Structure formats: C-alpha cells, structure tokens
Amino acid sequence: MLRKAIAGCAVQAPWRMIASRPSTTTASSAVDSILLRSLRDHYQEVAKMTPPPKVSPPSPFTIVKGALENNGPVLKRSYGHEEINLYVMRLTQHYDDDDVIDQLFLHVDVSKPGQKDSMQFLCGLYPDALGIHSVSLRPKLEAGGSLQDPSKYNGPVFGDLDERMRDEFHSYIEERGINSDLFQFLQAWLYVKENRNLMRWFRSVGLFVTDQKSTKGA
C-alpha cells in the first residue's frame, strides 16, 4: 500500500519529489562555502595572534637564512674547524606537580672537514636544562641528506653508558655553546614558524577547495 501511495505521488506531482532531494552540486557548494568560511575565520584568528618579543640567538650562533621557510637547520656556528648546525624539531608540554614544563627537541649536528660522518645529538632542551637522548655518527646531512643506513650501527643507548661518559658528552656539547641559553630564542622562533605554517595551511586548503592554484611562496 505504501509503495503504491509513493508511486502515485510521483506520477501526479513529480516536481515535489525532485524538490525534496537537493542536487549533489547544490549540497556540495553549500558544504564548500561553510568550510571556506571556517578556514577564513581561523586564518584571520591566527593572523591576529601577538608574536612573542623578538629575541636574538646567543652569540656566536647565527640564524640560517631561509630557515623559516624550510626544514633545515635554524642556527649555525663554527667552533675551531668544526661546523655546528642546530635543528629544532617540536615543542611539547608535560606536567610535573601541576607545573607546565616546556621541552624542545633539539638535533645537533657537529661536522668536520674531510670526515664523511658527523656526530649527531638528539637532545631535550628545557628553559633551565639540556638532556641528551642519543649520540650517533651518521653521514653528513649535506652529503647523505636526512636518510640513514639502517644496516649501520649508530651506537649504544645513551642511558646505557656509564655516568662518567654521559657527563663527558654533556661537557662536549656545552663547550660548543649547546645549553639552556638557546631555549628562549628557539621557543620564539618555533612559535613564529608554526604560526606561519598554520596560516599557509589554511590558505592552501582554501585554494584547493576553490580549485585555485597557490602562488609560489604562499
């Protein structure tokens, strides 16, 4: 009975059946508009955020040109005949007795001329301390990129080394200026970079939704 009633309505007034089901194109356009509005609002909200005060890196480190636009090193310096590059990876927060503790993951690359490998440290950088997570010898980044040979032995777990050796490695990088004095600059720098990346992401997604090509460097 119900099927016959629906069929009868379709025959007598087909326009009513069509009107009750919006076209896919119309629905898609409405969804796109809502998404674009949200992307625009969030873009404007991020754009209004007040950046942290401008901070200079501790001497003798200098900012690598174009660091904000790529995933390369942030700071560099020379130490004797060594070249030292610093990469900041991300900011995390954890809690200790209800206090929020900020931590930066720092990649330190120490290279020497004529050496095919560089000594690389992965560190946790805090406002008042620095801790080493790992130490390894790997191909120089300019020669081997960020790839590593999975068959190559990169060294023991840092925590398995005896305390004296761990202390000596800390002294080694501290002698080269790798310490908590870097935290304030790198924290501010990372904030600016992540802010730019977020704005770029909102804009790029909006251009994709509207089927427009992003301009170079946007």
Side-chain angles (χ1 to χ4, degrees), residues 68-91:
L68 281 171
E69 309 304 327
N70 56 55
N71 296 319
V74 178
L75 297 175
K76 65 179 181 179
R77 67 158 295 185
S78 295
Y79 181 84
H81 63 292
E82 298 174 353
E83 182 179 341
I84 300 173
N85 287 284
L86 304 184
Y87 303 71
V88 59
M89 301 176 71
R90 66 179 182 273
L91 173 69

CSV table of all heavy atoms in Angstrom, one decimal, residues 68-91:
chain,number,residue,atom,x,y,z
A,68,LEU,N,63.0,29.8,8.2
A,68,LEU,CA,61.6,29.8,8.5
A,68,LEU,C,60.8,29.1,7.4
A,68,LEU,O,59.6,28.7,7.5
A,68,LEU,CB,61.0,31.2,8.7
A,68,LEU,CG,61.3,31.8,10.1
A,68,LEU,CD1,60.9,33.3,10.1
A,68,LEU,CD2,60.5,31.1,11.2
A,69,GLU,N,61.4,29.0,6.2
A,69,GLU,CA,60.7,28.5,5.0
A,69,GLU,C,61.0,27.1,4.7
A,69,GLU,O,60.4,26.5,3.7
A,69,GLU,CB,61.0,29.4,3.8
A,69,GLU,CG,60.8,30.9,4.0
A,69,GLU,CD,59.4,31.3,4.5
A,69,GLU,OE1,58.5,30.6,4.1
A,69,GLU,OE2,59.3,32.2,5.3
A,70,ASN,N,61.9,26.4,5.4
A,70,ASN,CA,62.2,25.0,5.1
A,70,ASN,C,62.4,24.3,6.4
A,70,ASN,O,62.2,24.8,7.5
A,70,ASN,CB,63.4,25.0,4.2
A,70,ASN,CG,64.6,25.7,4.8
A,70,ASN,OD1,65.0,25.4,5.9
A,70,ASN,ND2,65.2,26.6,4.0
A,71,ASN,N,62.8,23.0,6.2
A,71,ASN,CA,63.0,22.1,7.4
A,71,ASN,C,64.5,21.9,7.7
A,71,ASN,O,64.9,20.9,8.3
A,71,ASN,CB,62.4,20.8,7.1
A,71,ASN,CG,60.8,20.9,7.0
A,71,ASN,OD1,60.2,21.6,7.8
A,71,ASN,ND2,60.3,20.2,6.1
A,72,GLY,N,65.3,22.8,7.3
A,72,GLY,CA,66.8,22.7,7.5
A,72,GLY,C,67.2,23.3,8.9
A,72,GLY,O,66.3,23.5,9.7
A,73,PRO,N,68.5,23.5,9.1
A,73,PRO,CA,68.9,24.0,10.4
A,73,PRO,C,68.4,25.4,10.6
A,73,PRO,O,68.1,26.2,9.7
A,73,PRO,CB,70.5,24.0,10.2
A,73,PRO,CG,70.7,24.0,8.7
A,73,PRO,CD,69.5,23.3,8.1
A,74,VAL,N,68.3,25.7,11.9
A,74,VAL,CA,67.8,27.0,12.4
A,74,VAL,C,69.0,27.9,12.7
A,74,VAL,O,69.1,29.1,12.3
A,74,VAL,CB,66.9,26.9,13.6
A,74,VAL,CG1,66.5,28.2,14.1
A,74,VAL,CG2,65.8,26.0,13.3
A,75,LEU,N,70.0,27.4,13.4
A,75,LEU,CA,71.2,28.1,13.9
A,75,LEU,C,72.4,27.4,13.4
A,75,LEU,O,72.5,26.2,13.3
A,75,LEU,CB,71.2,28.3,15.4
A,75,LEU,CG,70.1,29.1,16.0
A,75,LEU,CD1,70.2,29.1,17.5
A,75,LEU,CD2,70.0,30.5,15.5
A,76,LYS,N,73.5,28.2,13.3
A,76,LYS,CA,74.8,27.6,12.9
A,76,LYS,C,75.9,28.4,13.6
A,76,LYS,O,75.7,29.5,14.0
A,76,LYS,CB,75.0,27.6,11.4
A,76,LYS,CG,75.1,28.9,10.8
A,76,LYS,CD,75.3,28.9,9.3
A,76,LYS,CE,75.5,30.3,8.7
A,76,LYS,NZ,75.7,30.2,7.2
A,77,ARG,N,77.1,27.7,13.7
A,77,ARG,CA,78.2,28.4,14.2
A,77,ARG,C,79.5,27.6,13.9
A,77,ARG,O,79.3,26.4,13.5
A,77,ARG,CB,78.2,28.6,15.7
A,77,ARG,CG,78.2,27.3,16.5
A,77,ARG,CD,78.7,27.6,18.0
A,77,ARG,NE,80.1,28.0,18.0
A,77,ARG,CZ,80.8,28.2,19.1
A,77,ARG,NH1,80.2,28.0,20.3
A,77,ARG,NH2,82.0,28.6,19.1
A,78,SER,N,80.6,28.2,13.9
A,78,SER,CA,81.9,27.5,13.8
A,78,SER,C,82.5,27.4,15.1
A,78,SER,O,82.4,28.3,16.0
A,78,SER,CB,82.8,28.2,12.8
A,78,SER,OG,82.2,28.3,11.5
A,79,TYR,N,83.2,26.2,15.3
A,79,TYR,CA,83.9,26.0,16.6
A,79,TYR,C,85.3,25.4,16.2
A,79,TYR,O,85.3,24.2,15.8
A,79,TYR,CB,83.2,25.1,17.5
A,79,TYR,CG,83.9,24.8,18.8
A,79,TYR,CD1,83.7,25.7,19.9
A,79,TYR,CD2,84.7,23.7,19.0
A,79,TYR,CE1,84.4,25.4,21.1
A,79,TYR,CE2,85.3,23.4,20.2
A,79,TYR,CZ,85.2,24.3,21.2
A,79,TYR,OH,85.8,24.1,22.4
A,80,GLY,N,86.3,26.2,16.1
A,80,GLY,CA,87.6,25.8,15.5
A,80,GLY,C,87.3,25.4,14.1
A,80,GLY,O,86.9,26.3,13.3
A,81,HIS,N,87.7,24.2,13.7
A,81,HIS,CA,87.4,23.8,12.3
A,81,HIS,C,86.1,23.0,12.2
A,81,HIS,O,85.9,22.5,11.1
A,81,HIS,CB,88.6,23.0,11.8
A,81,HIS,CG,88.8,21.7,12.5
A,81,HIS,ND1,89.2,21.6,13.8
A,81,HIS,CD2,88.7,20.4,12.1
A,81,HIS,CE1,89.3,20.4,14.2
A,81,HIS,NE2,89.0,19.6,13.2
A,82,GLU,N,85.3,23.0,13.2
A,82,GLU,CA,84.1,22.3,13.2
A,82,GLU,C,82.9,23.2,12.7
A,82,GLU,O,83.0,24.4,12.9
A,82,GLU,CB,83.7,21.7,14.6
A,82,GLU,CG,84.7,20.7,15.1
A,82,GLU,CD,84.4,20.3,16.5
A,82,GLU,OE1,83.4,20.9,17.1
A,82,GLU,OE2,85.0,19.4,17.1
A,83,GLU,N,81.9,22.6,12.1
A,83,GLU,CA,80.7,23.3,11.8
A,83,GLU,C,79.6,22.7,12.6
A,83,GLU,O,79.4,21.5,12.5
A,83,GLU,CB,80.4,23.3,10.3
A,83,GLU,CG,79.2,24.1,9.9
A,83,GLU,CD,78.9,24.0,8.4
A,83,GLU,OE1,79.9,23.7,7.6
A,83,GLU,OE2,77.8,24.3,8.0
A,84,ILE,N,78.8,23.6,13.2
A,84,ILE,CA,77.8,23.1,14.1
A,84,ILE,C,76.4,23.6,13.6
A,84,ILE,O,76.3,24.9,13.4
A,84,ILE,CB,78.0,23.5,15.6
A,84,ILE,CG1,79.3,22.9,16.1
A,84,ILE,CG2,76.8,23.0,16.4
A,84,ILE,CD1,79.7,23.3,17.4
A,85,ASN,N,75.5,22.8,13.4
A,85,ASN,CA,74.1,23.2,12.9
A,85,ASN,C,73.1,22.7,13.9
A,85,ASN,O,73.2,21.5,14.4
A,85,ASN,CB,73.8,22.6,11.5
A,85,ASN,CG,74.6,23.3,10.4
A,85,ASN,OD1,74.3,24.4,10.1
A,85,ASN,ND2,75.7,22.7,9.9
A,86,LEU,N,72.1,23.5,14.2
A,86,LEU,CA,71.1,23.1,15.2
A,86,LEU,C,69.7,23.1,14.5
A,86,LEU,O,69.4,24.0,13.8
A,86,LEU,CB,71.0,24.2,16.3
A,86,LEU,CG,72.3,24.4,17.1
A,86,LEU,CD1,72.0,25.4,18.3
A,86,LEU,CD2,72.9,23.1,17.7
A,87,TYR,N,69.0,22.0,14.7
A,87,TYR,CA,67.7,21.9,14.1
A,87,TYR,C,66.7,21.8,15.3
A,87,TYR,O,67.0,21.0,16.3
A,87,TYR,CB,67.5,20.6,13.3
A,87,TYR,CG,68.5,20.5,12.1
A,87,TYR,CD1,69.8,20.2,12.3
A,87,TYR,CD2,68.0,20.5,10.8
A,87,TYR,CE1,70.7,20.1,11.3
A,87,TYR,CE2,68.9,20.4,9.8
A,87,TYR,CZ,70.2,20.2,10.0
A,87,TYR,OH,71.1,20.0,8.9
A,88,VAL,N,65.6,22.5,15.3
A,88,VAL,CA,64.7,22.4,16.4
A,88,VAL,C,63.5,21.6,15.8
A,88,VAL,O,63.0,21.9,14.7
A,88,VAL,CB,64.2,23.7,17.0
A,88,VAL,CG1,63.6,24.6,15.9
A,88,VAL,CG2,63.3,23.6,18.1
A,89,MET,N,63.0,20.6,16.5
A,89,MET,CA,62.0,19.7,15.9
A,89,MET,C,60.6,20.0,16.3
A,89,MET,O,59.7,20.1,15.5
A,89,MET,CB,62.4,18.3,16.3
A,89,MET,CG,63.8,17.9,15.8
A,89,MET,SD,64.4,16.2,16.3
A,89,MET,CE,63.3,15.2,15.3
A,90,ARG,N,60.3,20.1,17.6
A,90,ARG,CA,58.9,20.5,18.0
A,90,ARG,C,58.9,20.8,19.5
A,90,ARG,O,59.9,20.6,20.2
A,90,ARG,CB,58.0,19.3,17.7
A,90,ARG,CG,58.2,18.1,18.6
A,90,ARG,CD,57.2,17.0,18.2
A,90,ARG,NE,57.4,15.8,19.0
A,90,ARG,CZ,58.2,14.8,18.7
A,90,ARG,NH1,58.9,14.9,17.6
A,90,ARG,NH2,58.3,13.7,19.5
A,91,LEU,N,57.8,21.4,19.9
A,91,LEU,CA,57.6,21.8,21.3
A,91,LEU,C,56.6,20.9,21.9
A,91,LEU,O,55.5,20.6,21.4
A,91,LEU,CB,57.2,23.2,21.4
A,91,LEU,CG,56.7,23.8,22.8
A,91,LEU,CD1,58.0,23.9,23.7
A,91,LEU,CD2,56.1,25.1,22.6
